Amino acid sequence: MKSQESFKRLPADKRRAVTVQAVIGLAAEHNPAEITTTAIAERMHMTQGALFRHFPTKDAIWREVMEWVAEQILARVDTAMLAAKSPLEALEAVFMAHVDFVMEHPGVPRILFGELQRSDDSPAKRAVRTLLHNYNERLRTLIEQGKIQGVLFSEGDTAASASLLIGLLQGLVMQSLLDGKSGNLRTKAAKVFAIYLRGIRRTP
């Protein structure tokens, strides 16, 4: 099959990206828990056997997806942090960059929530935990910088402030999944962040 031969000739990182995008696309349309390797192979216009030559198990595919998601989100977070002129600006930029990522890849939060609900400690679930840990560390750094600069309440709990921001984002995404409307997610996120900022910002 032409598609299979083309896939085999791709560099490893390109094969990875093609597979990841196929899974994320399917997750935007179906319950991630019900996505089969057959469905993934069909989306990629190849046989299941050809897919398994590159990914020995379904868990291996899911791990690739989660690792790609982690890389992409943290890269966007780091870019937003570097471009910002202040810790407060960076916090907002990080928050909105994550929102933009979710809007571009609506299948991602469905996969993330699904993995976190699994009872077993799968490689994909561990990748999600690592992502959340690294994300949280970056937020804590920004919050501590804000305290040092005197723009955030010094007595505020850094860990709680970071966790709250992540929780707000997760809540917004969950609401968009429930009502099926992600088009206004950015507008809602901006309003929610403004309320969050009023709670942690030191006013003159």
Side-chain angles (χ1 to χ4, degrees), residues 4-196:
Q4 291 181 194
E5 291 302 317
S6 299
F7 184 77
K8 286 167 62 178
R9 289 195 294 269
L10 290 174
D13 59 333
K14 294 295 184 181
R15 291 199 301 267
R16 178 193 188 207
V18 169
T19 307
V20 166
Q21 291 307 315
V23 174
I24 291 176
L26 285 167
E29 304 163 8
H30 308 281
N31 179 352
E34 298 174 357
I35 296 174
T36 64
T37 52
T38 299
I40 297 170
E42 288 177 353
R43 176 61 66 97
M44 298 171 68
H45 305 292
M46 63 195 312
T47 65
Q48 189 178 24
L51 179 63
F52 278 134
R53 280 196 289 273
H54 300 283
F55 301 96
T57 64
K58 184 178 178 181
D59 275 345
I61 297 173
W62 247 242
R63 184 183 67 245
E64 287 287 347
V65 172
M66 289 299 97
E67 290 179 352
W68 181 87
V69 168
E71 290 173 5
Q72 294 297 312
I73 290 179
L74 293 179
R76 293 197 184 203
V77 166
D78 291 340
T79 298
M81 290 172 64
L82 289 173
K85 298 178 181 179
S86 69
L88 295 186
E89 184 178 309
L91 282 172
E92 182 173 13
V94 165
F95 191 72
M96 300 309 294
H98 197 152
V99 168
D100 288 340
F101 180 82
V102 169
M103 293 180 67
E104 292 169 24
H105 305 283
V108 166
R110 295 166 63 90
I111 297 173
L112 286 171
F113 289 136
E115 283 302 313
L116 290 175
Q117 291 178 62
R118 289 182 58 167
S119 58
D120 60 319
D121 193 26
S122 67
K125 188 173 183 178
R126 290 195 293 272
V128 174
R129 283 205 306 269
T130 299
L131 166 61
L132 291 175
H133 172 78
N134 292 334
Y135 197 126
N136 193 283
E137 286 298 308
R138 284 163 169 78
L139 293 179
R140 290 189 186 199
T141 296
L142 292 175
I143 292 167
E144 284 297 320
Q145 289 175 352
K147 289 182 178 182
I148 292 171
Q149 294 182 16
V151 293
L152 297 180
F153 286 114
S154 59
E155 61 272 23
D157 188 299
T158 297
S161 297
S163 295
L164 176 59
L165 191 58
I166 293 174
L168 289 173
L169 179 58
Q170 291 172 333
L172 283 167
V173 172
M174 181 64 75
Q175 288 178 15
S176 72
L177 291 176
L178 289 172
D179 61 26
K181 299 177 182 178
S182 61
N184 60 352
L185 182 58
R186 209 174 197 283
T187 300
K188 288 183 178 179
K191 293 178 180 179
V192 167
F193 183 82
I195 295 173
Y196 169 80

